[in-house]
Amino acid sequence: MEQVVVITEAAALHIKEMMKQNEEEDAFLRVAVKGGGCSGLSYGMGFAHEVEENDIQAEHHGIQVLVSKEDAPILKGTKIDYKESMMGGGFTIDNPNAIASCGCGSSFRTATNTGTPEEC
């Protein structure tokens, strides 16, 4: 099965550190899409402890990643990276399906899903 979301080694190292700090070493990383943000959709990442019936599961650099089958078409080909800069570090999300995004980089829309835009 083709990977829905790709997590780079840099992002995986940071996620593992977050898991350790939060005592979530056994957790899955759930990547999701929800309505909202100035462009209509926004990304969500969090720890999960169970695989749901409609989840697609993959492993990247030792991290078990879950994406629901409902979110998979919106996230297909998305790359999650972690970059350090003089302003600090943060996750970057590169979604080839996004046709519009806002300045914050966490809100977007696709050609087939506009979500529910909100004020920034």
Side-chain angles (χ1 to χ4, degrees):
M1 175 179 279
E2 187 178 333
Q3 300 290 331
V4 177
V5 173
V6 174
I7 296 183
T8 67
E9 190 172 4
L13 288 171
H14 197 75
I15 292 164
K16 283 180 187 175
E17 187 60 36
M18 290 171 66
M19 288 176 148
K20 189 174 181 181
Q21 288 174 358
N22 293 293
E23 298 181 0
E24 296 276 10
E25 285 101 335
D26 296 332
F28 300 96
L29 176 71
R30 179 173 295 285
V31 181
V33 173
K34 53 189 190 275
C38 45
S39 294
L41 296 170
S42 59
Y43 301 105
M45 285 196 310
F47 301 129
H49 294 277
E50 291 182 19
V51 178
E52 303 289 330
E53 189 177 323
N54 69 337
D55 282 340
I56 298 168
Q57 185 175 351
E59 182 180 335
H60 297 277
H61 305 287
I63 294 177
Q64 295 295 321
V65 180
L66 302 176
V67 175
S68 78
K69 289 179 183 166
E70 187 179 313
D71 291 345
I74 299 170
L75 292 171
K76 187 174 180 173
T78 295
K79 181 174 146 188
I80 299 173
D81 197 3
Y82 187 85
K83 298 203 185 314
E84 289 283 348
S85 72
M86 289 182 23
M87 300 292 287
F91 290 102
T92 61
I93 299 173
D94 180 18
N95 184 341
N97 306 301
I99 61 168
S101 61
C102 65
C104 60
S106 64
S107 181
F108 68 102
R109 74 173 181 258
T110 66
T112 57
N113 196 326
T114 58
T116 50
E118 301 167 351
E119 291 296 317
C120 278

